Amino acid sequence: MTDAYDIAVVGAGVVGCAIAREFSRYELRTILIEARSDLGDGASKGNSAILSTGADTPSGTLECRLVTRGHARYLAEAPALGLPFLATGSLTVVWNEEELVRLRAMHDEMHAAGFRTGELVGPDFIRAKAPHLAPGAVGAIWEPEEGIVDPFSTPYAYALDAVTNGVAYRASAPVASATRHGGGWILDTPQGAISADIVINCAGLWADRVEALAGYADFVGRPRRGQFLVYDKSARPLLDTIVKPVPSPTYRGILIAPTVFGNILVGPTAEEIDDPDDWRTTREGLATLEAAAHRLIPALARHEITATYCGVRPGTDRPEYRIIPRPDANWVTVGGIRSTGLSGALGIAEHVAGLVLPEMKRAARKARAVPVRVPSLCAADARPWQAMMPADRAMHEIVCHCEGVTLGEIRAAMASPLPPRSLKALKRRTRAMFGRCQGFHCAARVQAIFDGAAG
Amino acid sequence: MKQLDAPVVVIGAGPAGLAAAKALADGGVGVLVVERDEAPGGLPRFCRHPGFGWAYTRRFESGPAFARRMLAALDPARVAIETRTSVLSLEAGPTLHLLSAEHGNLHLRPRAVVLATGIRERPRSARLVPGRRPERGVLTTGQLQQMVARGVPVRGRRAIVVGTEHVSFSVLLTARHAGLKVVAMAGPEDRVMSHAAAGLLARAAGIPIHLSTTVEDIEGSVHVEAVTLRGPDGTHRIACDTVVFTGDFVPDCTLFRGDDVDPATGGPLVDQFGRTNLPGVFAAGNVLRAVETSGWAANEGARVGANAAAYLDAPAAWRENAARIAAGPGVAYVVPQFHAPANGMAALPVSLRADRDMRPARLHLDADGAEYWRGNLPSARRLRRVAVEADAFATLPAGRPAEFRFD
């Protein structure tokens, strides 16, 4: 049996989830298809968790426009979804006169491109904003509108919103073949075949493979791996803003930033890899990051590292987004989202909807959307257990002690309409096992709860 | 909750906390012990092999048996234990913010607190071990022990144990319960850190021990598939589905931060009576430093508990005239870190760790440029306990900073 849809969104990364959410606002049968067991399990799970303004993307590009729009939409829409934004601002710091010349040029370009919030600042300003930064910074661009977000809850909130508002969701469903059928497509997956009038390929790291199934080869995936270090929460008082270097056209350099969870993050490295599934940290990569961390904030040397991870960014052989509408084929390619998917997702979603909706004459906008709110995992926000008398006592029983995650929160995550299908997904939904002991105390119990609930 | 208004709150129901509670109760003081886990007993609860509590009980018992014995020794009229209760903050006063599954948010203002929160192992990430991060199969000893004790399936067959400390060898026993075959042990040091006999027994049982060896790579996405070790003979890849990171303990000391913590131990700064920087707050057991045996931790708890009882009777000025005992050349750290004038309380044993191997080792305690005490040891090993007789401090003038050093 083939399930029939108007639109199939292939790939439940942050971009696919945002696109599915966009279509959920219309009278359309939309399905979100994910190859892996959980959403947000590819490029979206390993990034620097920063919401960029778009100012540091190449001006005049589609990427720049969509990241700018994505940033604005996130600020407007995230609060209602329960998603955090901490307005930390960012400092793009330079350490010598030569770099200062480039910084000034970058500043002028940003202003010429219409980004007028970034201002050139000197050492005194830098010291005031980042007192623990190593001495010797000669100048910076202070961008007050950049900030930090929760990279895990973001795709989840978009997907939950989409599903709550009528989008179908199918996980563990890698597309094995794409066949033209009438004006649309039939996608074969291990979970059954899906027919759709329009396919939107936002398969991220695997987008070129999905393209090939349909016979397209407009770009070649060039995955880039970025490793990160996460410092213990004890280090959080050392930094309250994002500190980054002047980017090159292909690499934004090693930045250091607080996280909404209350840690300090350092990264990424940039390594070209062949296999988009090569999620390895390396001794050299971790050593490079540790050295950079100590160089930027010497006091970090006295703090423990809580976690190491890597992300793989869906780069291509082209230095820009590869968003390709194919109105004759009813296939839209959303590839090459590089490293700006988290910031750009809502802008990309709007853009893609704008490409597709004119083709869908009967697609009326729904009168209203059912509101959706995800639990905030931001360290600065109130947790359910802070209520004196919650309805559920399990909301007062902490299971993960490092991150203060209660039994009630874990149960609530498992009871979601989009439940986590893996321990790692549960970790991303609740923060359980994400803390400094990495599960020494709680992993056995969390696994028992997960295995019990997942049955 | 019973005894919410108990004059003393003990944080942690492991060996040190339970011994402290017993000492307080024996002194006629009411105690509330708060434990964040579902049951009291601390880490020994999850360790089925014998050898727990020897220094305290003089019995050769398993961890759970030792925990039961400690619990049975408590007078229920004086000691209340609240499990599933986390301490969210400990501030001056002392004031405590607790979160209890049973009672919700609680704010307590006891007259004294004994901090006995114990230790944990540093996980793979803190050790900067590269490779992939499979969802299952990368464990610490603590996690493996809890999985076995809680009946959570380990779903592994072949394990590599990283570390050669005492606890690393205890994993061999736990692994057997879990149905895991240990195919290799590996440690960065050039010798077995536990007793040499442990290494001989493991090797006799057919388990190769790779010394001067680090983990270079971990493979697998859902389950561990292989581990690559790098040693003196180069790298070799071993197919396995489990890798257990053992030892490398650190105090689980999250209620104390910043200047109240000794960066060298990771635990609170205390004087020889177990008094921390925070008036009314004592600390005992492995939260002071990693790591001593459960019996040692219990003995510390007993002394500090008695000291807390004495403090209630005569709350003298807190740590007045206490002087810093510094870790000088060759010394990684000293516990206690402060020396206060005698006040009738029971002193903790002074112990320190050398920062390198020495044979023989001569230890000095200096103050004001003069030597107050000297000890000759046949040897000192890096990060192994060097016990110093209590009289080392006997003639030290109160209030004068002093320093231990090796020459």
Side-chain angles (χ1 to χ4, degrees), chain B residues 129-196:
Chain B
V129 172
R132 292 183 61 137
R133 298 188 307 145
E135 170 160 311
R136 298 192 189 216
V138 179
L139 308 174
T140 48
T141 312
Q143 184 180 348
L144 175 67
Q145 288 175 339
Q146 281 211 36
M147 288 175 81
V148 171
R150 291 174 183 276
V152 177
V154 175
R155 296 186 197 166
R157 286 268 171 268
R158 292 165 57 84
I160 287 178
V161 172
V162 180
T164 62
E165 299 176 38
H166 298 325
V167 66
S168 319
F169 291 92
S170 87
V171 167
L172 303 185
L173 303 168
T174 311
R176 195 180 304 156
H177 286 297
L180 277 170
K181 178 180 162 59
V182 175
V183 294
M185 298 181 77
E189 298 88 0
D190 61 2
R191 62 159 190 273
V192 169
M193 297 303 281
S194 180
H195 308 300

Side-chain angles (χ1 to χ4, degrees), chain A residues 277 283 306 397 424 436, chain B residues 84 125 132-133 215 257:
Chain A
D277 243 332
R283 196 166 290 289
T306 289
E397 180 170 352
K424 285 208 169 170
R436 60 175 64 86
Chain B
R84 302 172 195 260
S125 50
R132 292 183 61 137
R133 298 188 307 145
V215 178
R257 283 288 163 82

Side-chain angles (χ1 to χ4, degrees), chain B residues 4-75:
Chain B
L4 261 186
D5 54 351
V8 181
V9 172
V10 173
I11 305 174
L18 294 178
K22 174 166 169 26
L24 281 153
D26 289 350
V29 177
V31 188
L32 172 67
V33 182
V34 293
E35 167 57 49
R36 62 191 191 177
D37 211 334
E38 302 147 285
L43 292 182
R45 205 155 70 81
F46 304 113
C47 306
R48 283 204 242 169
H49 56 279
F52 284 84
W54 171 258
Y56 182 69
T57 62
R58 293 293 161 196
R59 286 167 195 274
F60 196 65
E61 293 183 303
S62 73
F66 172 52
R68 281 194 299 275
R69 179 177 301 281
M70 297 212 71
L71 287 165
L74 299 177
D75 175 2

